[in-house]
Amino acid sequence: MSQLHFYRFYLQFKHLRKVFRHRFTLAPSANFPVSLYGEGTNLKPQNTPQGLTSTSSECIIKSSDLQCDPIIQRYGEKKKGLTSYTLTLEEQKRNDYPIEGSPGCKGYISTECDEQRTDSSPLFGLDCEMCLTAKGNEVIRVSLVDAQGQCLLNELVKPESTVVNYRTRFSGITKKMLLPVKTRLSDIQTRLKKMLPHDAVLVGHSLNSDLQALEMIHPSVIDTSLLFARSEGRRFKLKFLAKAVLGKEIQCEQKLGHDPTEDARAALELAQFFIEQGPTKVAELNLEMLLTAEKLAEVSQNKAALQPQGCGFQKQLNEPPPLSKPCFLDCLQETGQKPLLLGRQGLDSSGLCQSNLSTSNKQILQRALEDVPLSKFSIIGFSLGPEYLASHLHAGLYEKVRSKLTDMLTIYAGPFDENFCMKSVKKEFGRCGPIQSLTVVTETFQPYVCIQYEVLEAAQLAVESLNGAEVAGSCIEVQRPVTAAMLDCNVLIKELELDVENEGVIYVAGLKKSLTETDLQEEFSQLKDLETLFLPKDLQSGKHRNCCFLKFQKTQSAVDALEAINGWTMKGSKLRSRNALAPGHLWRWIWQMNHSNGKQGKHIFYEKMEQLSDSEQDLRKKVKKLDNHIKKLYRSLQSNTLCVVLFPGVNSTNGSQSGLGLMGIKDDEGRSAC
C-alpha cells in the first residue's frame, strides 16, 4: 500500500485520519523490510520462534532511496567546494536578499567584497538581533565570527528610530542595556567593511533578514536555512540543526534571548559540516525523522504518566548522530528486546524476531490482541492480498485520485455577458488563492469561465464567497463540476476540515506577493497564540503565492483569528480566510500530482476500467475492515505506547508511489498525541 491508498480511501480510513496527528512521506522501496530494518535483514514469520542471531549489517540509506531526498535533488551526491553552496544572484532575489540596484535597497552600503570567490575563500558567521521600531526592524546587536569560531565582533547598536518593542524574549536586550550605547548602524557598517577580506563568504541562518537589517549588500553568501533543504520550501530551525547535526544545544530556554555569537558560530559550523561531509552524509542523517523524534520527545516530557524509557529520543538527540547507524533490530537486541512480528507469508526472516505465521488479517488481529501486550516492541503486518498488486489496478487508483482532486480544485463561474472583462474575473477569483489555469467555456448559451486553483481552500473559498456575487458586471453562480465521483464532495470537504492535522489551522488569501514572510509575521503578530506561519512558494520560480496558512496553539484562537481576518485590509489588499482543508502532507502531494505526467496511468486506466470497477468495490470493503482492525488493536494498547503506521509505497518497473507514515503516542483518552 502507498499514500495513494490513503487518499483514495480517505473516508474509509476513518480511524487513521482522526487519531494520528503526524504524517510523513516514505521514499518508495522495492524491498521494504530491507529499507526499514537494514541490509541483510530478512523477516519471515515462522511457525516456531527462533533464537537471536547476530548480524553486522548497517542501516545505511540505499542510493536508490536517497534520490528522493531534497538535499540530493538539489546538490547531487558528490562532495563539492564551498562555491557550489553559495547562493546565485537569482536565488538571492527569490529569497529577499538585498541586491545592488534593487529599488528597495536605496542607500544600502556595499561590503565591497568583489573579488572572485574560490573554494579556499574564508568563511565568516554573521548573526544579528533585531528590535521593532517606528521604522520597522532595526539592528540592536551584531556578531561576527571567523572560520575558527573566534568572535571578531559582538556589539550593541543604538536604533535610529524610537523602539516600539525590544523583543527581549528573542533579542535578550532591554531598554536599560541600551541607555549607555553610542554605537550606530553606520559605525557597524564601517567596521564590517574593514574587517571582511575582499573574497569573504558570509554564512548565516536566514541571512537575508540580517543583511536587510544591516542595510548592507554582500555578493557571496551561504544560507544554512536553504542549505539543509527540505521539501516545498520548508526550513529547519537553527536550534534543531545545531542539535541534530552538531550535537550542540543553543537558544536554551534558561537564557534570556538568543546569543548572536552562539547562533553565528552554529551556522558557520553547519556550513563547514556540510562542505566537509558532503550531501550524501547529510542526507543519511535523516533529519526529517530526527525532527519527528524530537517532537515526540517533547510530548513525552510533558506527559506526567510517561514511563522512564519514553525519553530515549531526547538522549539520542543530545549526541551527534553517527554517519552510519547500526541495524534497527541490532539496536533492539543490544537492549535485550526481541520484537514480536505478526504477519502473512511473503515477508523475509533472520530470526531476530518472535515470529508467527497467519493466513488472514483477522487472524493477525486476534494474535496481536493476545501477544502485543506481552511484547516491548511489535511489528504487525496487515495486507490487502496479492490480488491487489497488479499494475493496472494501481494505475487506475492513481488516475481516479488525480481526477477527483482536479475536480475539487476546479470551479465553473457564470453566466457572463458576451463582452465581459476576463481581467476583472481573474482579479476577483485570484483573491481566493493561486490560480493554475483559467479558460472560457463557449459551449454554453452564455460564456462561463472554468477556473482551476492550486489549493483546495481557494476553490472552496470561491464557492462560498462568490456564488451569487456580481463579478464583471454579471450576477454569477459558482459551482464545482458535477460528476459521479463528486457527489460526495461536500462530505469529503467537511471531513478534511475536521482532520486532526487541520486543528487550529486557517487559510488566508488575498496577500500581495511583494510581502515577505517577515512582513507577514509582523502583520499577524497581534493575533493571539499564533504558532507558525507557512507561506507557500512556487517550486519552479521560487516566488511566494498570494496565500498563507496560520497555525494556532489553541483551536479557539484560530476561530477568533478567522473572524478578525475576514475583511481585514493589509497593504491595500482585502483578505479572505477560512478553515484549512488540505493537511500539510496532502497539500504537498496535490502539488506533486499537478506537476506529474499521468499519461501512462491514464492509458492503462481506460483500457482496464471495467475490470477495475468490481475490484475497487471489493478493495473499498477490505480497506474499511483494515481500518477497523487497526482501531481495535489501537484501543487495546497501553497508554503512552508509541504507534507508527506505515504504508510502504510502491517502487517497480511500472512506476513508483511514495509511502506514507502516521505517528503518535496513545494518550489516556485513546487519541495520539504528537
Side-chain angles (χ1 to χ4, degrees), residues 1-9 388 390-407 485 586 588-606 608 612 616 619 649-650 654-659:
M1 300 182 75
S2 68
Q3 59 177 315
L4 175 66
H5 291 83
F6 182 78
Y7 294 127
R8 175 56 182 160
F9 302 110
Y388 296 105
S391 61
H392 69 268
L393 296 178
H394 192 269
L397 281 180
Y398 177 83
E399 177 57 28
K400 284 204 168 186
V401 174
R402 191 197 65 79
S403 178
K404 184 159 186 171
L405 281 174
T406 300
D407 284 346
L586 176 59
R588 294 188 289 275
W589 202 57
I590 288 173
W591 191 94
Q592 290 169 356
M593 291 190 69
N594 281 337
H595 293 78
S596 63
N597 187 347
K599 292 181 180 179
Q600 184 182 2
K602 205 166 189 176
H603 172 74
I604 298 173
F605 167 63
Y606 287 119
K608 304 285 185 178
L612 177 66
E616 191 176 335
L619 186 55
V650 177
N654 296 316
S656 64
Q657 276 295 325
S658 295

Side-chain angles (χ1 to χ4, degrees), residues 38-75:
E39 293 284 354
T41 303
N42 290 317
L43 291 176
K44 179 180 178 184
Q46 302 291 326
N47 289 317
T48 56
Q50 299 181 22
L52 287 170
T53 60
S54 62
T55 174
S56 60
S57 60
E58 293 183 339
C59 185
I60 299 173
I61 303 174
K62 293 195 303 180
S63 178
S64 59
D65 293 334
L66 277 177
Q67 301 308 313
C68 299
D69 191 283
I71 288 176
I72 299 300
Q73 290 177 342
R74 181 170 182 177
Y75 301 111

Side-chain angles (χ1 to χ4, degrees), residues 242-249 290 312-322:
K243 186 187 230 181
V245 179
L246 306 174
K248 292 187 174 183
E249 288 277 2
L290 286 175
F313 281 126
Q314 193 66 39
K315 182 180 178 183
Q316 292 172 17
L317 285 169
N318 286 334
E319 302 170 359

